Amino acid sequence: MSEHTTFAEAEEFISLKEYAEKAYLDYSMYVILDRALPHIGDGLKPVQRRIVYAMSELGLKSTAKYKKSARTVGDVIGKFHPHGDSAAYEAMVIMAQPFSYRYPLVDGQGNWGSPDDPKSFAAMRYTESKLARYAEVLLEELGQGTVDWQPNFDGTMDEPEVFPARVPNVLLNGTTGIAVGMATDIPPHNLREVVEACIHLLDNPKATLEELCEFVQGPDMPTDAEIITPRADIVGLYKTGRGSLKMRALWNFEKETGDIVVTALPHQVSGAKILEQIAAQMQNKKLPMVADLRDESDHENPTRLIITPRSNRVDNEQLMQHLFATTDLEKSYRVNMNMIGIDGKPAVKSLQKILSEWLSFRTVTTRRRLQYRLQKVEERLLRLAALMIVYLNVDEVIRIIREEEHPKPVLMERFNLVEMQAEYILETKLRQLARLEEIKIREEQEKLEKERDNLNKILGSAARLKTLVRKELTQVAKDYGDDRRSPIVARAESQAFNEADLISVDPITVVLSDKGWIRAAKGHDIDPTALNYKAGDSFKLAVPGKSNQSVILLDSTGRSYAIAAHTLPSARGQGEPVSGKLNPPNGATFDGLLMGADDQSVLLASDAGYGFVTSMADLYSKNKAGKNALTLPKGSKVLPPVVVADPENSWVAAVSNEGRLLVFAIAELPRLARGKGNKIINISAARVQSREEFAVAIVAFGVQDSLTVYSGKRHLTLKPTDLEHYRGERGRRGNKLPRGFQKVDKLNIAEK
């Protein structure tokens, strides 16, 4: 502080922290109370209230002629709402759009936007507007002493603080808004349902939320699309005032054309955006079952989106479930019933609280209207009484007026009048003293006295007042109510296609080379040995399957891996290395290749003579590093996995390099997800480690199959009757094969 600054001046200085806090708090309270949140009484934000009031002041009732919207906006921003014209006009547009408001407050003429693009409305200099008929519900009682008034922003005129709404408009049209630190998202509701709930609560003040939800089934959007939120969730939403709502488009299948036709979209969803989302999926080849898309919406059919499936084999229900899950054909809406209550404070309210507070507001409004009317009736009766005095004492009255310098006090004293009556007598025109006027005065007096008595009765009885509120609510429902538009339907959760569902199902053969290069050839009738291989490389393994399956690989360490077959390169080239898709341990080679259904049984075994039965699903792994499938005893190696066609009635044949063959029922082997398994054929661990003896082959075959044993260039076919000699219990040594087959190379099921 300088030496020239006075103490009084110094007091005006406050810290920046204090100033910023106060300024921000003032701003936030302004936004909450005077901009973003609706009032429970009329369900309107200040800008909306000011637009409706300005239009009523311009005489733009529903029965009037349309006027340019620019005229209304000019009045709104010039008299009541000192903000930008575009903000005021946009608020006005939303109130005029039948696809935005359940019960529009403005009746527009011209381009007021479309459901596809709500912001495509024409400028205010082109459009014309007037109030919709429904706006009368808010304005009808405005000049009847029902609400408080406040000065406008420059203090030159008054505006209503709230409208005397005859229905809970806060629920009927809903609203969205973002204030400082809080937001509101109130969905629209059906007028008849809300009025029925109000009447029930009026008759039963202790009614439970569940009882009210018998009347208010749920929100009712200005669209024919379905609300698919479960009933329990809707009740929970009304209990807390917070939650979410889910809507789903309506569709049907036209047999004549084979097209899927979408006839109604969720609230505030654009058909153009839907087509864009579906087209993007088609472009990215994520929707091969859709052949064509088009928009046939017109004046008669506001929503008609055509989706043409690629063939009549496409499951339409499944396709639509995918589109519901991946596009705005199904949309979620946040619900946050935050509003300014009758106490002037913002709060999130339950349905019960909203209706009971509004009924309290409505009862007070009705009482004020009746009191205002009673006051007017009594004033009129006083004037009529003064007129009767004039009529009965006309000569005396005329004499006083002519002769007295100050006739008013003389009249008051002579005829025992109040000031207002004396003034009325002085203002009375001579023609009102005609003979017929007495009859009219007496008729009006009788009528007004009856009305006064009736008003006093209603004001003196809570039950009569309640009956009047109920009667007026019923009348509004009769005049403005309509049927529910958004049906509430229980639907299953939508499910997007997984990658496998989108792949065409074609027969393929997966081929693996000796150096670990993999590819997929179309069809099952190819010769993998005839394919082109890199120099120094050759064919190793092949397996037939389908393009929508995964190929399972088994490496020399007993780990299993999976690769989606549709991701494999074509066999027209030389393929690509498996190491590019998987991360096997160093030095590991791939010794097994499998394809089939998830429940397909597979026999895994090591050449130490141990093994077990597992399923294709148990061998599947999303991990690039694979998973442990077969545990190898010390010194042993993996034998090629064997597909078991009939796990209930198959046999297992195991043969060692020394020519011992053992046959037993496969049911004797355990079914495991992974592990070492049980002993199939008895070979000592020491001989396996020294590689003196080991299992050469283990196969699974049917009871009617024959086996062929190969030894060098010689082979021997063993028929089912011959195999009887080699049958035994699992884990035995087995019997020796005939002379000349002591050194076995391989064992196969004989071709029939």
Side-chain angles (χ1 to χ4, degrees):
M1 189 166 34
S2 75
E3 58 187 69
H4 301 294
T5 307
T6 65
F7 182 71
E9 286 173 328
E11 278 190 311
E12 293 176 18
F13 287 99
I14 59 168
S15 70
L16 182 61
K17 179 177 180 290
E18 283 177 61
Y19 173 78
E21 280 178 1
K22 185 178 183 304
Y24 189 68
L25 187 64
D26 289 348
Y27 165 72
S28 62
M29 289 309 293
Y30 163 73
V31 173
I32 291 165
L33 300 175
D34 289 324
R35 193 192 297 180
L37 300 188
H39 192 282
I40 195 167
D42 57 11
L44 299 179
K45 299 178 189 178
V47 66
Q48 297 167 329
R49 191 176 301 117
R50 286 162 179 167
I51 289 165
V52 173
Y53 181 62
M55 290 180 83
S56 74
E57 288 296 284
L58 281 168
L60 295 176
K61 298 281 193 288
S62 59
T63 50
K65 286 184 178 179
Y66 292 95
K67 263 191 185 150
K68 286 285 183 189
S69 302
R71 175 75 192 275
T72 299
V73 172
D75 264 31
V76 170
I77 64 174
K79 292 179 179 177
F80 308 111
H81 199 69
H83 294 267
D85 59 349
S86 59
Y89 183 51
E90 277 191 34
M92 185 177 170
V93 166
I94 291 168
M95 291 195 288
Q97 291 175 335
F99 49 84
S100 292
Y101 258 39
R102 183 66 179 81
Y103 300 97
L105 292 168
V106 176
D107 180 1
Q109 190 169 261
N111 175 12
W112 288 80
S114 68
D116 257 359
D117 187 4
K119 291 197 180 287
S120 63
F121 51 85
M124 59 186 168
R125 61 182 177 275
Y126 300 119
T127 62
E128 295 181 335
S129 57
K130 62 180 179 179
L131 286 170
R133 186 170 155 262
Y134 173 76
E136 290 169 18
V137 171
L138 304 175
L139 293 165
E140 203 168 31
E141 299 172 0
L142 190 58
Q144 299 174 25
T146 46
V147 292
D148 294 328
W149 294 72
Q150 62 188 12
N152 69 340
F153 66 92
D154 61 1
T156 55
M157 58 183 71
D158 287 339
E159 59 175 319
E161 287 183 6
V162 65
F163 284 147
R166 290 162 59 201
V167 281
N169 187 58
V170 70
L171 286 175
L172 302 183
N173 276 321
T175 191
T176 60
I178 299 171
V180 178
M182 59 175 67
T184 183
D185 290 279
I186 305 169
H189 288 75
N190 184 274
L191 192 148
R192 282 182 190 159
E193 290 182 8
V194 172
V195 165
E196 281 175 9
C198 283
I199 291 170
H200 181 75
L201 191 60
L202 200 61
D203 295 336
N204 307 279
K206 292 185 179 177
T208 63
L209 181 80
E210 285 70 21
E211 285 175 43
L212 295 177
C213 286
E214 290 298 316
F215 300 100
V216 181
Q217 298 292 311
D220 186 21
M221 306 289 190
T223 169
D224 298 327
E226 298 172 337
I227 292 172
I228 60 164
T229 305
R231 169 89 177 148
D233 290 2
I234 292 175
V235 173
L237 178 157
Y238 286 137
K239 189 172 273 185
T240 61
R242 284 195 177 94
S244 67
L245 200 68
K246 203 174 272 187
M247 288 196 85
R248 188 177 282 185
L250 285 184
W251 66 281
N252 58 65
F253 179 69
E254 289 187 348
K255 283 185 181 177
E256 309 79 48
T257 57
D259 291 335
I260 292 167
V261 182
V262 177
T263 54
L265 296 174
H267 185 40
Q268 293 175 328
V269 167
S270 153
K273 190 182 177 187
I274 295 282
L275 294 179
E276 205 177 290
Q277 289 172 331
I278 299 173
Q281 290 191 39
M282 291 168 70
Q283 209 169 346
N284 295 333
K285 297 184 178 174
K286 289 187 176 177
L287 214 53
M289 60 284 291
V290 174
D292 189 28
L293 274 181
R294 61 187 183 279
D295 188 351
E296 290 185 359
S297 306
D298 55 26
H299 189 68
E300 281 184 24
N301 303 292
T303 303
R304 187 176 163 84
L305 307 182
I306 309 295
I307 301 167
T308 307
R310 193 164 290 283
S311 75
N312 57 10
R313 293 194 305 276
V314 172
D315 185 334
N316 296 325
E317 189 70 44
Q318 203 177 353
L319 169 60
M320 289 308 292
Q321 288 295 319
H322 168 77
L323 293 176
F324 289 142
T326 57
T327 70
D328 282 348
L329 283 171
E330 182 178 299
K331 192 175 179 188
S332 283
Y333 302 85
R334 189 177 62 179
V335 176
N336 183 25
M337 297 205 279
N338 192 3
M339 62 195 74
I340 296 166
I342 50 177
D343 59 358
K345 294 175 184 174
V348 176
K349 300 179 190 290
S350 66
L351 178 67
Q352 209 171 3
K353 186 77 173 159
I354 293 168
L355 295 181
S356 60
E357 268 196 45
W358 184 83
L359 281 171
S360 167
F361 166 82
R362 180 63 193 157
T363 306
V364 169
T365 304
T366 307
R367 184 181 289 280
R368 286 180 67 167
R369 186 187 83 222
L370 296 176
Q371 285 168 339
Y372 180 82
R373 177 62 187 157
L374 181 60
Q375 186 187 337
K376 293 292 178 189
V377 166
E378 286 173 342
E379 282 177 11
R380 181 63 182 159
L381 281 169
L382 284 172
R383 287 191 174 97
L384 291 173
L387 273 181
M388 283 303 294
I389 287 167
V390 173
Y391 183 78
L392 295 170
N393 303 278
V394 66
D395 295 336
E396 178 73 4
V397 169
I398 291 169
R399 186 193 65 76
I400 291 168
I401 294 169
R402 285 180 69 185
E403 294 176 4
E404 296 293 334
E405 193 177 342
H406 300 289
K408 187 161 75 170
V410 176
L411 283 171
M412 288 170 67
E413 189 179 342
R414 169 71 181 82
F415 298 109
N416 194 23
L417 303 174
V418 294
E419 189 176 350
M420 180 263 288
Q421 286 178 304
E423 279 178 3
Y424 188 64
I425 288 171
L426 293 169
E427 288 166 8
T428 303
K429 292 175 184 175
L430 283 171
R431 69 165 171 238
Q432 287 178 261
L433 305 178
R435 174 74 192 153
L436 287 171
E437 284 299 320
E438 183 189 359
I439 299 164
K440 285 184 183 175
I441 290 165
R442 292 202 182 279
E443 281 177 358
E444 193 179 345
Q445 269 182 325
E446 281 178 31
K447 187 180 169 189
L448 289 175
E449 279 165 1
K450 276 184 186 176
E451 189 180 349
R452 180 186 61 193
D453 294 343
N454 188 40
L455 288 168
N456 278 321
K457 277 181 186 175
I458 296 170
L459 286 166
S461 164
R464 285 175 190 266
L465 187 62
K466 192 185 281 187
T467 303
L468 179 64
V469 171
R470 185 195 300 110
K471 186 181 172 185
E472 289 177 350
L473 276 169
T474 307
Q475 190 59 46
V476 174
K478 189 179 172 184
D479 292 344
Y480 300 97
D482 57 3
D483 295 332
R484 167 174 277 280
R485 281 197 65 185
S486 303
I488 298 173
V489 186
R491 298 284 187 199
E493 193 77 25
S494 55
Q495 192 73 42
F497 290 132
N498 57 40
E499 210 173 358
D501 294 331
L502 301 172
I503 301 154
S504 57
V505 183
D506 300 313
I508 58 165
T509 303
V510 176
V511 180
L512 184 70
S513 77
D514 200 45
K515 300 284 187 190
W517 287 63
I518 196 166
R519 49 189 150 163
K522 285 185 178 177
H524 288 167
D525 53 354
I526 66 144
D527 178 7
T529 57
L531 293 174
N532 186 23
Y533 292 89
K534 284 185 174 290
D537 200 2
S538 59
F539 165 73
K540 183 175 185 181
L541 297 167
V543 64
K546 292 177 181 175
S547 56
N548 65 336
Q549 293 175 332
S550 290
V551 57
I552 306 290
L553 295 94
L554 191 70
D555 75 7
S556 54
T557 69
R559 292 181 77 79
S560 65
Y561 308 80
I563 301 173
H566 72 274
T567 65
L568 296 175
S570 165
R572 284 195 290 268
Q574 292 171 332
E576 60 183 59
V578 177
S579 56
K581 291 180 175 289
L582 305 173
N583 295 327
N586 287 336
T589 58
F590 290 99
D591 298 331
L593 214 54
L594 294 163
M595 283 185 88
D598 286 350
D599 59 353
Q600 174 69 62
S601 294
V602 178
L603 173 59
L604 293 188
S606 64
D607 68 2
Y610 287 86
F612 60 92
V613 178
T614 188
S615 69
M616 206 73 83
D618 287 328
L619 296 175
Y620 180 83
S621 171
K622 287 183 179 178
N623 196 338
K624 278 191 168 187
K627 65 191 274 192
N628 284 317
L630 180 66
T631 305
L632 297 174
K634 196 174 180 183
S636 66
K637 294 179 181 177
V638 171
L639 289 175
V642 178
V643 173
V644 182
D646 183 0
E648 301 297 322
N649 301 305
S650 292
W651 294 83
V652 176
V655 64
S656 71
N657 61 332
E658 292 193 347
R660 288 188 172 275
L661 177 65
L662 176 66
V663 176
F664 62 89
I666 199 165
E668 292 184 44
L669 280 177
R671 193 169 193 95
L672 305 171
R674 63 176 183 273
K676 175 182 171 184
N678 286 8
K679 190 173 278 190
I680 295 174
I681 188 168
N682 191 2
I683 302 170
S684 81
R687 285 171 67 81
V688 170
Q689 288 175 35
S690 63
R691 305 305 289 166
E692 290 176 51
E693 188 180 0
F694 49 87
V696 173
I698 295 174
V699 296
F701 62 99
V703 289
Q704 299 300 319
D705 291 336
S706 301
L707 294 179
T708 303
V709 181
Y710 294 89
S711 180
K713 291 182 180 179
R714 304 173 69 186
H715 68 273
L716 169 69
T717 299
L718 301 170
K719 293 178 181 174
T721 50
D722 302 327
L723 290 170
E724 289 289 335
H725 174 65
Y726 300 98
R727 282 192 186 159
E729 291 179 6
R730 174 188 63 74
R732 296 298 177 93
R733 286 283 286 157
N735 288 330
K736 281 266 188 181
L737 287 163
R739 192 182 293 276
F741 291 91
Q742 303 294 313
K743 298 288 181 186
V744 178
D745 296 326
K746 62 179 179 176
L747 182 66
N748 278 350
I749 298 170
E751 292 182 11
K752 291 181 182 177

